[in-house]
Amino acid sequence: MLFFLVSSTLIAQTAEVTRSGDTWTARVGNSAVYTGNNMVEAVNAACNGMSGGVVNIRNSGEANVFWGMQPRANQVLDFHGNTIHSIENVIPIYGDRRNGITIRNVHMTGGPRYGIWFRGCSDVHLHNITMELSHAPEVGLGIRIDNHSDHRVPTSNLTVTGVVRIEGSKGHGFETYSIDGVEIERIYTRNTGGCGLILNDTRNATLGYVDAYRADYGGGYAGFRTANSNGPNVVIDTLIAVECGRGYFSVSKSRGTTINYVNITGCTSHGMLIQNAEDVHIKGGFVWNNDCAEAIRFSTDPNSSGGYMDCKNNIIENVRVFDNRGADRIQVYGIRETSDGGRTNYNIVRNCDLRNGGTNRSRDLVLEGANSQSIGNALTGDTPFLPDDPSLQICNPVTITAHICIDEGAWQQENRVTVYEGSTIKFGPHPVTGGTWDWHGPEGFTSTDREIQIAQISLEKAGEYVAVYTNSCGTQSSETFTITVEPSVSSSGVSSKRPEVTLKDNSLVLNGPGKKRWTVSLFDMSGRLIQKRILTSGLHSLQSKSYGAFVLIIHENSRLILNRRIILKE
């Protein structure tokens, strides 16, 4: 059965989208606007039934409609840590020329064409987005924000807060095209087929922390790439790129990018390639032990498909470039500039420590531009002035081991359980020491403790609880705990099959002759006896020092009258 009701008068309200079994229900205010079996249709019915406001998605589900969930202008989709599983080649979240959209607290799996795609939408805000994707048959891009079709009129104001984690995309992890005004706090990409993060024709951007691992390993894309007339005024505080095709790649008429700190290692084409770009400024960091001939390269390619300009007015300073693997070294050049017929020129390498950057001193630094400058650099054999940081290692993520405890029972090494309403659940992931934890889950749940407890769990608190662990060197890993909550029997208004026993309002009513006796036992969910009493006819309180789920067993002599899970409520 499918039921729609959309009000002709749209007002700012709060909507609730919930699932019970296979049935989805969407409510706007006190009105049901959808009942059916499709998550996408339920969310869209909620969006279409209101103007600006918050749509709370309380359960996980599947995106199986090509143009998926489509929020309207000034709406928030809050998934509360729940999961969208995308079938192949669909777009689970999509917007076209609608402004003021916020997407938050979503976990996505599957093989979408685009996980999130907004076209011509200004003032977009993304918060706490996690994608664990499988390679889609087509495109397979995690997040793309662009300006629809007219690049002459850029979209404005993209804000990304919290933590964005994208893993396993077939294409780029996160891409912008023609955006004026971008702020990104922290983005982590892992095992992407394209770039980890790519900015195209994007200007006035401030990025905090970008960490890319295995972005197009063995290929030409980069952990972080600026392309297609990107810039100016793009500033990134920290770039970490490990085992990518390239660590940083600026190309096709990009200009005006500043990176304050880089740590780039294990890349297969270049540590950094600055090509057909100008006014790039790298202010410090390490480019080391890369699996390619040139750790850093300046060049001009007049045949570049994305646009041509001379490579000039770029600065690299305070960077330590080296390969310390001895006979196993692969880097041939530390920093290499080719003149390319005079097109590559006016670049500056300043105060860099390039000892052992190339295979010998003459290959530590090669500048062929007639007006390019080497200022205050150290080559092999010179006195060092930037340290070989002994702690500088690949900061691999820590494997999280899931542990769950139910109703004070034994710890189980599980990340997926089914419990009854009213149960108490503890999450205790390992490692138990070091690092920091950040949790988010249903109903807006957050915590920074390692071990957390959900007492007297309700149906609304079912869903996915995501634990993000940041180790001592700053790399994050995550574990998702999936909790299914089955409805339990409430003590209010429930009677046994036998008329002599009734449960009502945390009380037990026994009906029978005056001399009749019943043995009443109350157990907690771990099987521990809470109380045992011999009772006669009348009204009796079911007393406990706590509330939640219990098992009530009643005998008349040896005859079992009742054996039922109940909930005692405050």
Side-chain angles (χ1 to χ4, degrees), residues 316-394:
I316 296 177
E317 61 182 337
N318 305 314
V319 175
R320 178 76 177 99
V321 181
F322 66 92
D323 189 330
N324 63 2
R325 293 173 289 185
D328 294 326
R329 69 173 296 132
I330 298 175
Q331 282 180 197
V332 177
Y333 293 93
I335 299 179
R336 185 187 184 197
E337 177 197 59
T338 51
S339 67
D340 304 311
R343 297 183 180 94
T344 304
N345 206 347
Y346 298 99
N347 299 304
I348 297 173
V349 179
R350 181 170 58 208
N351 298 331
C352 291
D353 191 336
L354 308 174
R355 294 171 296 113
N356 298 313
T359 52
N360 54 49
R361 181 183 175 90
S362 67
R363 291 178 173 176
D364 290 341
L365 176 62
V366 175
L367 296 177
E368 294 184 357
N371 299 290
S372 294
Q373 300 179 64
S374 170
I375 304 172
N377 300 297
L379 307 181
T380 299
D382 293 339
T383 301
F385 62 88
L386 291 179
D388 296 333
D389 188 347
S391 65
L392 187 63
Q393 301 293 333
I394 297 175

Side-chain angles (χ1 to χ4, degrees), residues 197-322:
L197 171 65
I198 178 171
L199 305 183
N200 300 292
D201 189 24
T202 295
R203 67 210 68 165
N204 302 315
T206 302
L207 287 65
Y209 189 92
V210 177
D211 185 326
Y213 173 71
R214 290 221 158 200
D216 195 25
Y217 181 76
Y221 283 123
F224 174 51
R225 171 171 161 150
T226 51
N228 297 305
S229 301
N230 197 73
N233 193 27
V234 175
V235 178
I236 176 172
D237 187 61
T238 300
L239 169 63
I240 310 297
V242 177
E243 296 183 17
C244 300
R246 294 181 169 106
Y248 170 56
F249 187 10
S250 184
V251 69
S252 56
K253 300 171 64 175
S254 292
R255 56 169 59 85
T257 298
T258 297
I259 305 179
N260 293 327
Y261 176 84
V262 298
N263 189 340
I264 297 172
T265 187
C267 295
T268 55
S269 291
H270 294 91
M272 292 195 290
L273 175 58
I274 300 171
Q275 181 181 80
N276 297 357
E278 64 182 24
D279 297 321
V280 172
H281 191 176
I282 310 299
K283 289 189 170 182
F286 297 84
V287 181
W288 59 289
N289 287 11
N290 284 284
D291 296 335
C292 53
E294 300 161 329
I296 301 174
R297 171 75 181 270
F298 295 106
S299 71
T300 300
D301 180 4
N303 299 314
S304 173
S305 60
Y308 157 75
M309 67 161 42
D310 289 349
C311 180
K312 63 183 181 180
N313 300 327
N314 303 294
I315 300 172
I316 296 177
E317 61 182 337
N318 305 314
V319 175
R320 178 76 177 99
V321 181
F322 66 92

Side-chain angles (χ1 to χ4, degrees), residues 92-112:
I93 301 175
Y94 177 75
D96 187 349
R97 287 164 288 187
R98 296 176 176 181
N99 299 333
I101 293 173
T102 296
I103 307 296
R104 63 192 186 207
N105 305 319
V106 63
H107 177 237
M108 187 177 295
T109 60

Side-chain angles (χ1 to χ4, degrees), residues 57-68:
I57 297 94
R58 301 295 186 182
N59 300 94
S60 300
E62 182 178 79
N64 55 13
V65 178
F66 185 82
W67 302 107

Side-chain angles (χ1 to χ4, degrees), residues 169-183:
S169 61
K170 178 181 181 179
H172 305 313
F174 195 124
E175 180 177 23
T176 69
Y177 211 123
S178 197
I179 310 293
D180 187 354
V182 174
E183 293 185 8

